[in-house]
Amino acid sequence: MRIRRIPGEMEKVDLPDVDLSLIDPIIKKYKNKRGNLIPLLQGAQDLYGFLPPQAFEKISNDTGLNLSDMYGVATFYAQFRLNPVGKHVVKVCHGTACHVQNAGTITDSLKEALKVDDGATTEDGLFTLESVACLGCCSLAPVMMIDNETYGNLSGKDAVKIVKEIKISESN
Amino acid sequence: MEKTQVIVGLGSCGIAAGANKVYNKIKALKKVDNLDFELKQTSCIGMCYREPLVEIIDESGSYLYGEIDEKKVVDLIDQHIVNQNPIKDYVVKTDLFKTKDDVFFEGQVKIALRDCGYINPEIIEEYEERKGYEVIKKIASEKITPESIIKTVYDSGIRGRGGGGFPTGLKWQFARNNPSDEKFIICNADEGDPGAFMDRSLLEGDPHAILEGMIIGAYAIGGTDGVIYCRAEYPLAIKRLNIALGQAREKGYLGENIMGIKGFNFDIFVKEGAGAFVCGEETALIASVEGERGMPRKRPPFPAESGLWNKPTNINNVETFANIPWIIYNGAEAYAKYGTEKSKGTKVFALTGKIKHGGLVEVPMGITIHDVIFKLGGGIQNDKQFKAVQLGGPSGGCIPAYMADTMVDYDSVNATGAIMGSGGMVVMDETICMVDMSRFFLDFTQKESCGKCTFCRIGTKRMLEILTRITEGEGKEGDIEKLELLSYQIKDSSLCGLGQTAPNPVLTTIKYYRNEYEAHIRDKKCPAKSCKKLLTYEVIEENCTGCTVCAKNCPVDAIDGERKELHFIRQDACIKCGVCYDKCKFDAIKLS
């Protein structure tokens, strides 16, 4: 269960800067359709890379969906994020086959190389490191996916090399 | 003479292995050298361990080449296409001569996977050429009744391929018995079992077979709307499904009065899942389609009476639907000819883990686990000792090597304490610690528990804590008994399949590998040398040549030492990844 407890006193947070008008076409498409909550959130996340607080409010105001229902759904499913992610999302597969083939080493090496914890984003905002359940490429285990590219038959060293190459190409 | 064809396997795993680069390279070569052949794409043929695969069909026959990279492909096109001289060493499958990979296909019977790897999934005509959509045409022309369709499905003996094993014909009959103005048919493509990928392969490789199965199902139960609930992690599958849906609508297989059958109106849309394993459970899946948290509901009422939007609903798995057109076309007897008394037909297994030939195989029910692993699968990687096989994912269990003669059918597998599940077969060798495996699965189910039932929510957490403690050398006497007690309580007190089966990996490993648990708890030792906290890596002085290979490969630079001098592992920095142990050519790293 992915519960994040709400602290007793709400901390003042700076709202991220987002263009809310981008959601309008999605709201138009799904408004008044039954079962629209998940597609609306998926659409919003596709736009911003995460779900900004203002987007919840806008969708709620425009469609009449309950904020609490939306928050309940957003925290239930693994796909939804409430915080911004790095430019590249590094998903290390921890399915059974990858686990058997030492997926832990890949995550450990990347944690060390990127100096981030699992699930966190690097200081420069380039990478977010994540563990995922299964990417469905079990016979190439261990596997990781960066953006939409999948890399198979990795060692810790390979994984670090791939990430470093992306970093170099970004700095050029 | 027909044009020579070059076909590249572009499934997700092929692409991960570099098939796109190979495809583009061939395209470039074709253009530069102005070569005369047809470049096509297909999907996965199941031979994942030889990806990327390139098939060349010329007038002499078909040659399937394996492990073709960007360099080899230049050679291949040059030799085979230009000089018309096939490179026999690269061939993994052909009708013209034997190859060492033929064992992979021997014993396979392809029903569900009949088209995977043979057609371009994005072209409907290629599916139609292989008897695709024939059944729907036949229903229209021969006026076959829904009742006789259900009877054929029932007589074939096919049982739900998603793991439940409920007879599909019976399920359809229940859904048919409930008249309604709206009735749903849902395809469960939320393949969450980590280690299984047959549904992905089917969705990517033969989407029309699934659509046709659903259309037949809708005709049989009186369905009005179809939903394919597909994991968002499978972008290629979703893309190809949507292409297939567009084509099927255009050809009149979907829509109103389908194929001229008056009053048969049916359409399908794809719903992207948002990532929750529990949504494999029927009622949780329905809640998710309705836009809610994917939490299971009480049964009865069963979905067949009151499912999606409180209307009668029938849910089947991808593989089940893929079998349906074949069964109706070839008849119940043709299907029931395969398999055992209570488990008919074939089953697709995803072979992964420490196995030589990892990939997808479709075998008749009743074959032994030994035959799947050692005949088709080619045995264990690096010829290590076969220890166990995990069947059924997080809901299943481990079957030890000495029980490898167990037949794969629903009842024989259930008798071992494992379940058939969706067909993930993760093969383990002597280096895998069974306590760590059950910790791994509990970690998964604990995270994926929806939280509705107390025993599943809190019980799995407590079990995980105990297992983690044991693997870290903090196990106590009585832990095993506590695990067993919790297991039975969770099984008895959970509403859905996730909770009822979550303790299976723990119970089976305790049943078959109790001594390993005891070694962790009493001796603080991991017999498989896998639990990191119980191990240290050290350099053996006499064997170290100072070659620097270990230091170079260490991902955290925890190894010091000058060239040609003794190396040393700094224990405080070591992450115990084992790379030095694997890389050392002089056996100079020891585990203790």
Side-chain angles (χ1 to χ4, degrees):
Chain A
M1 208 175 33
R2 303 174 190 86
I3 282 187
R4 189 165 304 145
R5 304 261 178 226
I6 300 168
E9 251 178 65
M10 288 294 278
E11 292 167 43
K12 277 267 176 225
V13 281
D14 294 328
L15 289 178
D17 193 17
V18 290
D19 178 3
L20 283 178
S21 63
L22 292 173
I23 326 179
D24 285 328
I26 299 163
I27 291 177
K28 204 175 153 201
K29 186 173 169 196
Y30 289 109
K31 197 176 176 177
N32 300 328
K33 287 205 178 142
R34 54 184 184 182
N36 58 3
L37 207 170
I38 293 174
L40 277 166
L41 294 181
Q42 283 172 332
Q45 179 157 298
D46 278 347
L47 290 170
Y48 306 115
F50 73 110
L51 293 170
Q54 309 100 300
F56 278 101
E57 281 176 17
K58 183 179 166 64
I59 295 173
S60 173
N61 288 338
D62 291 4
T63 61
L65 287 164
N66 276 332
L67 265 181
S68 59
D69 288 342
M70 291 166 62
Y71 189 73
V73 166
T75 49
F76 184 85
Y77 293 101
Q79 186 189 14
F80 297 117
R81 312 167 203 276
L82 299 173
N83 291 305
V85 281
K87 192 170 175 192
H88 305 282
V89 180
V90 184
K91 294 179 182 166
V92 182
C93 180
H94 282 261
T96 319
C98 288
H99 177 77
V100 169
Q101 304 279 30
N102 277 329
T105 315
I106 313 289
T107 297
D108 288 344
S109 312
L110 287 173
K111 269 171 39 183
E112 182 73 24
L114 294 171
K115 306 222 165 7
V116 282
D117 278 335
D118 196 7
T121 305
T122 52
E123 258 177 39
D124 56 10
L126 269 184
F127 297 101
T128 299
L129 181 64
E130 279 187 347
S131 294
V132 295
C134 187
L135 296 169
C137 297
C138 310
S139 44
L140 300 169
V143 179
M144 69 171 178
M145 194 187 223
I146 302 182
D147 305 326
N148 271 329
E149 183 102 10
T150 314
Y151 303 86
N153 293 325
L154 295 170
S155 67
K157 204 96 182 168
D158 294 338
V160 171
K161 201 174 146 204
I162 292 164
V163 168
K164 282 197 171 150
E165 272 168 14
I166 294 176
K167 204 169 174 177
I168 291 167
S169 68
E170 283 287 342
S171 60
N172 287 335
Chain B
M1 185 196 107
E2 280 208 20
K3 235 183 195 180
T4 301
Q5 299 177 34
V6 178
I7 308 165
V8 184
L10 293 179
S12 272
C13 41
I15 292 171
N20 260 340
K21 288 176 191 154
V22 172
Y23 185 85
N24 290 334
K25 186 86 195 173
I26 299 176
K27 207 168 162 186
L29 286 172
K30 184 175 186 247
K31 201 171 171 197
V32 170
D33 297 340
N34 201 13
L35 297 170
D36 184 35
F37 61 81
E38 208 178 333
L39 179 59
K40 295 162 81 172
Q41 59 155 304
T42 184
S43 197
C44 176
I45 196 169
M47 224 178 181
C48 304
Y49 66 104
R50 287 275 190 245
E51 297 274 14
L53 295 162
V54 176
E55 187 180 11
I56 299 183
I57 304 173
D58 61 18
E59 49 189 353
S60 64
S62 146
Y63 303 80
L64 185 66
Y65 291 102
E67 289 171 10
I68 299 300
D69 55 23
E70 279 176 283
K71 279 182 200 141
K72 277 187 185 168
V73 78
V74 180
D75 220 20
L76 183 65
I77 296 294
D78 202 38
Q79 290 292 324
H80 194 145
I81 300 288
V82 181
N83 298 335
Q84 304 199 342
N85 188 14
I87 308 178
K88 285 194 172 181
D89 286 351
Y90 296 172
V91 175
V92 292
K93 185 176 188 273
T94 176
D95 295 334
L96 302 167
F97 50 87
K98 282 202 178 309
T99 75
K100 65 179 188 331
D101 288 280
D102 284 342
V103 287
F104 184 73
F105 293 96
E106 278 166 21
Q108 286 206 54
V109 176
K110 300 223 176 192
I111 294 177
L113 297 175
R114 59 194 177 276
D115 301 321
C116 284
Y118 296 100
I119 62 167
N120 181 339
E122 295 181 14
I123 298 177
I124 189 169
E125 286 78 12
E126 295 202 10
Y127 177 67
E128 287 175 320
E129 268 170 38
R130 293 172 66 94
K131 313 258 193 291
Y133 292 113
E134 282 296 318
V135 173
I136 296 173
K137 290 178 193 157
K138 216 166 133 184
I139 289 174
S141 62
E142 296 174 20
K143 305 215 166 25
I144 302 174
T145 61
E147 286 80 11
S148 82
I149 297 273
I150 293 180
K151 187 172 185 311
T152 309
V153 173
Y154 184 79
D155 289 344
S156 75
I158 184 171
R159 294 165 67 172
R161 292 291 187 252
F166 193 79
T168 307
L170 216 51
K171 207 172 186 179
W172 285 16
Q173 187 62 54
F174 290 152
R176 175 153 189 88
N177 291 346
N178 293 300
S180 171
D181 55 336
E182 242 186 331
K183 206 182 268 189
F184 295 96
I185 188 156
I186 300 180
C187 173
N188 182 352
D190 190 43
E191 186 174 51
D193 169 3
F197 54 95
M198 61 285 290
D199 291 352
R200 176 183 63 71
S201 206
L202 272 166
L203 294 161
E204 285 176 5
D206 200 9
H208 285 290
I210 295 148
L211 301 190
E212 190 179 0
M214 288 181 76
I215 298 166
I216 296 168
Y219 177 75
I221 68 162
T224 53
D225 293 278
V227 178
I228 301 176
Y229 186 89
C230 184
R231 288 183 86 194
E233 283 92 339
Y234 291 170
L236 186 63
I238 292 169
K239 183 188 140 200
R240 288 190 178 155
L241 276 172
N242 281 317
I243 294 173
L245 283 171
Q247 292 168 339
R249 283 188 199 115
E250 215 165 87
K251 292 233 173 187
Y253 298 124
L254 287 172
E256 293 186 356
N257 300 321
I258 292 168
M259 290 286 111
I261 306 169
K262 219 163 173 249
F264 182 32
N265 307 330
F266 180 68
D267 204 350
I268 302 173
F269 70 96
V270 178
K271 184 101 187 165
E272 270 183 56
F277 177 67
V278 68
C279 290
E281 163 78 19
E282 291 190 343
T283 54
L285 190 153
I286 289 171
S288 180
V289 176
E290 290 175 354
E292 294 176 16
R293 290 163 72 97
M295 290 161 112
R297 295 166 183 172
K298 193 164 62 78
R299 293 182 299 184
F302 286 90
E305 294 163 51
S306 171
L308 185 58
W309 311 115
N310 300 320
K311 302 285 182 185
T313 304
N314 178 74
I315 304 180
N316 290 120
N317 160 270
V318 170
E319 195 187 326
T320 314
F321 279 125
N323 276 303
I324 296 293
W326 191 96
I327 293 173
I328 308 291
Y329 187 86
N330 295 285
E333 274 172 34
Y335 191 76
K337 180 175 90 186
Y338 300 107
T340 59
E341 195 198 333
K342 286 187 177 163
S343 304
K344 299 292 184 196
T346 58
K347 176 81 194 89
V348 183
F349 288 98
L351 286 179
T352 59
K354 305 278 186 186
I355 190 155
K356 279 184 187 160
H357 300 171
L360 276 190
V361 295
E362 183 170 358
V363 289
M365 295 270 193
I367 188 173
T368 63
I369 290 173
H370 181 274
D371 283 358
V372 174
I373 294 172
F374 288 92
K375 287 192 179 159
L376 285 80
I380 310 298
Q381 278 176 1
N382 305 319
D383 294 315
K384 286 205 169 137
Q385 188 78 36
F386 169 46
K387 182 170 179 179
V389 59
Q390 158 77 23
L391 259 180
S395 305
C398 288
I399 299 177
Y402 69 83
M403 289 174 75
D405 287 336
T406 306
M407 289 196 295
V408 284
D409 64 36
Y410 290 98
D411 307 292
S412 312
V413 173
N414 285 349
T416 67
I419 62 162
M420 186 84 99
S422 54
M425 226 185 226
V426 184
V427 179
M428 302 173 196
D429 65 10
E430 58 202 325
T431 64
I432 306 292
C433 169
M434 301 322 262
V435 186
D436 179 61
M437 272 327 282
S438 49
R439 189 200 56 76
F440 168 78
F441 284 118
L442 249 292
D443 181 50
F444 181 82
T445 36
Q446 182 263 325
K447 279 181 190 149
E448 295 295 337
S449 169
C450 78
K452 186 165 186 160
C453 309
T454 316
F455 277 84
C456 176
R457 180 179 73 239
I458 302 175
T460 51
K461 177 107 182 146
R462 293 290 97 84
M463 284 179 77
L464 175 64
E465 284 165 1
I466 297 173
L467 287 165
T468 308
R469 229 178 46 222
I470 297 175
T471 54
E472 290 179 350
E474 309 280 330
K476 291 189 286 222
E477 283 298 330
D479 274 350
I480 300 178
E481 291 71 22
K482 222 180 261 172
L483 284 172
E484 286 176 325
L485 180 68
L486 277 168
S487 294
Y488 292 117
Q489 288 172 337
I490 294 169
K491 272 169 148 332
D492 288 343
S493 322
S494 298
L495 191 59
C496 82
L498 187 145
Q500 286 161 10
T501 58
N504 282 352
V506 181
L507 286 175
T508 51
T509 48
I510 291 180
K511 184 172 169 190
Y512 299 118
Y513 297 95
R514 200 180 182 98
N515 57 341
E516 276 192 36
Y517 279 84
E518 288 167 349
H520 281 77
I521 294 170
R522 289 182 193 152
D523 313 330
K524 313 292 174 209
K525 274 187 183 145
C526 175
K529 293 184 181 167
S530 151
C531 293
K532 285 178 183 175
K533 286 250 167 117
L534 305 178
L535 297 176
T536 47
Y537 287 87
E538 282 170 80
V539 178
I540 305 171
E541 284 185 30
E542 309 86 71
N543 291 0
C544 181
T545 61
C547 71
T548 74
V549 164
C550 58
K552 274 185 197 148
N553 281 288
C554 178
V556 292
D557 293 327
I559 305 179
D560 296 334
E562 293 299 315
R563 195 167 182 81
K564 297 201 173 163
E565 278 174 30
L566 178 66
H567 280 53
F568 176 75
I569 303 175
R570 276 181 288 115
Q571 295 301 334
D572 54 334
C574 175
I575 56 167
K576 300 176 180 179
C577 67
V579 164
C580 50
Y581 181 81
D582 293 336
K583 292 282 175 187
C584 182
K585 289 179 195 148
F586 307 100
D587 293 328
I589 308 278
K590 76 170 172 199
L591 267 175
S592 54

